[in-house]
Amino acid sequence: MQAVLRAREAFLSGRTRTLEFRLQQLQALLTMITEKEAEISTALKQDMNRSQYDTPLLELISIENEIKLAIEKLAEWAAPRPVEKNLLTISDEVYIQPEPLGVVLIIGAWNYPWALTLLPLVGAIAAGNAAVVKPSELSEYSSLLLRALLPRYLDKDLYPVVTGGASETQELLRQRFDHVFYTGSSSVGRLVMEAAARHLTPVTLELGGKSPCYIDRNCNIRTACRRITWGKFVNCGQTCIAPDYILCEPSVQGQVVDRIRRTLLEFYGADPKCSPDYGRIINQRHFSRILSLMEGYTPVVGGQSDASQCYIAPTVLKDVPPHSRLMQEEIFGPLLPIVTVSDMDDAIRFINEREKPLALYIFCSDKKAVRRMMEETTSGGVTVNDVMMHYTLSSLPFGGVGHSGIGRYHGRHSFDQLSHQRACLVRTLGMESLLSSSPADDITVRLPTSWPIRCVGPGQDSVPVIQFTHKLI
């Protein structure tokens, strides 16, 4: 594929090695986001009826902040990192040097087509890599706009955009890359990993899964339900770290349903279909898939749909059996099932019997109980008494564990993920007499007084010495 060959040749030219070039490219990407915000918002409105107010909040601000952080910290991130020495290397220069990997393939996702494509690109540029960018064909308008915009602002040889569907992605995966960064479903993630394995190419897989949300009976249920409702139904439920289902005790289930119903009325009005703030399902295939998950259930909130608009109302289902189809696959839509558990022990057991989730949400006022649930479960990330907020911090690594993903990114974590941490030891050609001494010799090495080694001798001003005594036994 010509785009990959050009990216490889451009990388081998060496121009990405200088920090000045990387900073210039990062600044150009920031300029693109700020200058083209209106066009990006329009594309997202066409793709999934995204509100013009949601686009900056959900995508553009995070991209801008990530670029600004990389520009500010790049010199620090790229600098040699000194490490501890041992006795044999005490006079050597020893450090870790982050180096570019080479050419990275970035396969973006359709639900947040700008953030989930450009955030990895920020890390790739900062780390000095070339990157072939493959946006999702499902977010068609965003994909075409990205293809048009990126070459105007960035080096078109180093950072080409390849559009198309499954066949184009498969062709890209046949090529050899130095890293593949994929965001999407676990089923496709397996195919990406299998293709990368043929070339022994490392991967970052940002996947998903069923992220549980536990509501303790003694927490502030009104506040909990407001926060859960926003996190679940923003972007029409098409968020990889959205709460997938609620776990709560039967005694509070009715209160949870009532509070979610009231919050939905406040957020989207009596008819969410008419709300400018409520989105749509990306296409007919996903619309049909989500509707099929509801078969056999009577929603207690919502349930309305309109195929002509790919519209599904915010929907809540209660008393959902743990082994139902609804609980076997990631919903990725505006359906919120409630599963009842007897207590926290039961909730922990329920979570641990399933694949490790991308996120875990705990609503509980008892710090000891929160700590226990965190210690006895595992997930890619966890947020307590809110949802999705851990994603917003560049200082926290974002990624899954097990079935929900491999690797991590955001901030410095992106830079490190897309760099080779090269081990470096630099020694002089001196000291050969020390190395070639006979076994019977006693050797004294005198070191500068500034070195943090305990002095040997009767007085405080004694010269520090290390004495090597070779004895034949």
Side-chain angles (χ1 to χ4, degrees):
M1 186 173 279
Q2 289 301 312
V4 181
L5 292 175
R6 285 197 302 271
R8 178 75 62 187
E9 289 174 4
F11 173 76
L12 292 175
S13 74
R15 60 182 182 267
T16 66
R17 291 243 170 208
T18 68
L19 298 192
E20 292 76 14
F21 179 84
R22 302 183 204 180
L23 290 169
Q24 184 269 327
Q25 295 294 299
L26 289 169
Q27 186 60 56
L29 187 60
L30 181 61
T31 302
M32 184 190 88
I33 295 299
T34 53
E35 288 183 351
K36 300 301 180 180
E37 178 177 335
E39 292 179 41
I40 293 170
S41 294
T42 299
L44 286 165
K45 180 73 174 178
Q46 293 171 304
D47 282 329
M48 57 186 71
N49 198 42
R50 175 82 62 77
S51 161
Q52 61 174 327
Y53 302 107
D54 279 346
T55 290
L57 175 66
L58 299 177
E59 301 212 51
L60 303 188
I61 291 174
S62 64
I63 300 171
E64 290 173 4
N65 289 342
E66 193 87 351
I67 296 172
K68 290 174 182 176
L69 178 66
I71 290 172
E72 177 189 352
K73 297 289 188 180
L74 182 58
E76 176 188 329
W77 294 349
R81 304 173 188 179
V83 296
E84 291 184 9
K85 305 176 186 180
N86 60 24
L87 203 56
L88 296 176
T89 61
I90 203 161
S91 61
D92 301 327
E93 187 181 359
V94 185
Y95 57 93
I96 297 169
Q97 179 62 62
E99 291 188 339
L101 291 173
V103 182
V104 176
L105 172 61
I106 298 171
I107 305 175
W110 55 262
N111 55 325
Y112 294 94
W114 295 87
L116 298 182
T117 305
L118 295 186
L119 289 179
L121 180 61
V122 172
I125 294 172
N129 298 296
V132 177
V133 178
K134 172 59 180 70
S136 172
E137 72 280 6
L138 298 188
S139 48
E140 180 183 1
Y141 293 95
S142 292
S143 176
L144 294 175
L145 181 60
L146 183 62
R147 185 181 68 179
L149 292 181
L150 211 60
R152 297 185 203 170
Y153 289 86
L154 299 188
D155 187 303
K156 63 179 183 299
D157 293 325
L158 282 166
Y159 312 110
V161 179
V162 176
T163 56
S167 60
E168 285 77 11
T169 304
Q170 289 167 2
E171 179 58 30
L172 279 171
L173 288 170
R174 292 188 191 102
Q175 313 302 310
R176 181 169 186 169
F177 290 92
D178 299 291
H179 195 99
V180 176
F181 195 113
Y182 167 76
T183 304
S185 68
S186 298
S187 57
V188 177
R190 290 188 184 93
L191 300 176
V192 170
M193 192 170 185
E194 181 181 347
R198 297 190 190 104
H199 301 290
L200 293 180
T201 299
V203 296
T204 300
L205 302 178
E206 294 292 337
L207 309 177
K210 298 184 74 64
S211 296
C213 180
Y214 173 71
I215 304 177
D216 186 77
R217 69 175 184 274
N218 294 320
C219 78
N220 184 327
I221 291 179
R222 177 181 178 275
T223 300
C225 289
R226 280 182 63 83
R227 295 175 182 180
I228 293 166
T229 301
W230 173 79
K232 176 63 183 182
F233 298 108
V234 70
N235 206 40
C236 206
Q238 299 164 118
T239 304
C240 61
I241 51 171
D244 190 270
Y245 61 93
I246 288 174
L247 295 173
C248 68
E249 295 181 25
S251 60
V252 298
Q253 181 178 215
Q255 189 179 352
V256 167
V257 170
D258 182 60
R259 285 298 177 184
I260 293 175
R261 180 187 289 111
R262 294 187 190 190
T263 305
L264 286 170
L265 185 63
E266 176 188 345
F267 285 0
Y268 303 116
D271 185 3
K273 187 177 179 182
C274 300
S275 170
D277 299 318
Y278 189 69
R280 296 295 185 268
I281 304 304
I282 187 67
N283 59 25
Q284 285 290 336
R285 181 172 67 84
H286 281 281
F287 173 84
S288 299
R289 177 189 63 80
I290 295 166
L291 280 187
S292 71
L293 293 175
M294 277 199 292
E295 291 175 1
Y297 297 99
T298 302
V300 290
V301 176
Q304 301 85 4
S305 64
D306 182 347
S308 67
Q309 294 188 24
C310 286
Y311 165 79
I312 299 176
T315 299
V316 180
L317 305 106
K318 71 174 188 176
D319 294 319
V320 175
H323 301 293
S324 63
R325 184 181 163 218
L326 194 58
M327 294 302 298
Q328 302 308 307
E329 63 181 77
E330 183 179 9
I331 295 170
F332 221 69
L335 311 184
L336 182 56
I338 301 176
V339 179
T340 57
V341 289
S342 56
D343 52 23
M344 180 175 280
D345 287 339
D346 195 18
I348 292 172
R349 199 160 39 244
F350 188 94
I351 294 166
N352 288 338
E353 286 173 351
R354 286 155 178 80
E355 296 286 359
K356 296 172 184 176
L358 182 57
L360 168 64
Y361 304 114
I362 306 167
F363 287 86
C364 181
S365 302
D366 184 337
K367 291 183 179 180
K368 186 176 179 181
V370 167
R371 178 58 55 188
R372 179 179 164 231
M373 181 166 249
M374 291 175 69
E375 289 176 350
E376 295 185 17
T377 61
T378 188
S379 59
V382 59
T383 293
V384 177
N385 293 324
D386 210 333
V387 297
M388 306 201 300
M389 296 309 295
H390 64 290
Y391 176 89
T392 66
L393 278 173
S394 293
S395 54
L396 286 175
F398 180 77
V401 56
H403 196 261
S404 57
I406 298 170
R408 65 209 59 82
Y409 74 126
H410 288 183
R412 183 169 181 164
H413 307 288
S414 299
F415 179 90
D416 287 343
Q417 184 76 3
L418 296 175
S419 296
H420 168 55
Q421 309 299 322
R422 192 181 193 183
C424 302
L425 185 149
V426 181
R427 172 170 287 181
T428 71
L429 288 171
M431 304 287 283
E432 191 63 21
S433 59
L434 170 62
L435 298 174
S436 62
S437 60
S438 67
D441 292 339
D442 287 346
I443 303 160
T444 298
V445 181
R446 297 188 175 274
L447 305 174
T449 55
S450 60
W451 284 24
I453 298 173
R454 184 164 44 178
C455 293
V456 176
Q460 292 184 351
D461 297 329
S462 302
V463 176
V465 300
I466 301 173
Q467 190 167 35
F468 300 87
T469 303
H470 299 267
K471 302 288 187 182
L472 288 176
I473 299 177

